[in-house]
Amino acid sequence: MDDKLTTTFHGQQNHFEKLMGIRLGWRHLLTGSQTIELLVLVFLLGTSILLAIEIVSNKKNVKMTVFK
């Protein structure tokens, strides 16, 4: 990405950043595919946690029913 910024700003990126009051730090941003991968990972992790909680609570309910 840095090579594209250099081509776009013709080596005047610092001037542009000062003029606009922003910083173009592309190295720290996620690409589209990385964002999708991260969201899928979070979704799968959350789903597995909810599934584990549901399984544990169902086992507790079964044990309580047997002892009554």
Side-chain angles (χ1 to χ4, degrees):
M1 187 59 91
D2 284 333
D3 57 338
K4 292 180 182 178
L5 286 174
T6 303
T7 304
T8 303
F9 294 108
H10 307 290
Q12 298 179 357
Q13 181 178 338
N14 289 335
H15 174 69
F16 177 79
E17 289 176 353
K18 288 179 186 175
L19 181 68
M20 298 304 289
I22 61 170
R23 181 167 178 185
L24 300 174
W26 296 101
R27 286 180 224 112
H28 304 292
L29 297 176
L30 295 175
T31 62
S33 62
Q34 289 172 329
T35 303
I36 291 171
E37 290 170 1
L38 181 63
L39 289 174
V40 168
L41 179 66
V42 168
F43 175 76
L44 291 175
L45 183 64
T47 304
S48 62
I49 290 172
L50 290 175
L51 183 62
I53 290 171
E54 186 67 25
I55 289 171
V56 168
S57 67
N58 282 340
K59 283 185 179 180
K60 286 182 181 178
N61 288 340
V62 168
K63 286 181 182 177
M64 293 270 212
T65 309
V66 171
F67 290 118
K68 285 185 177 180

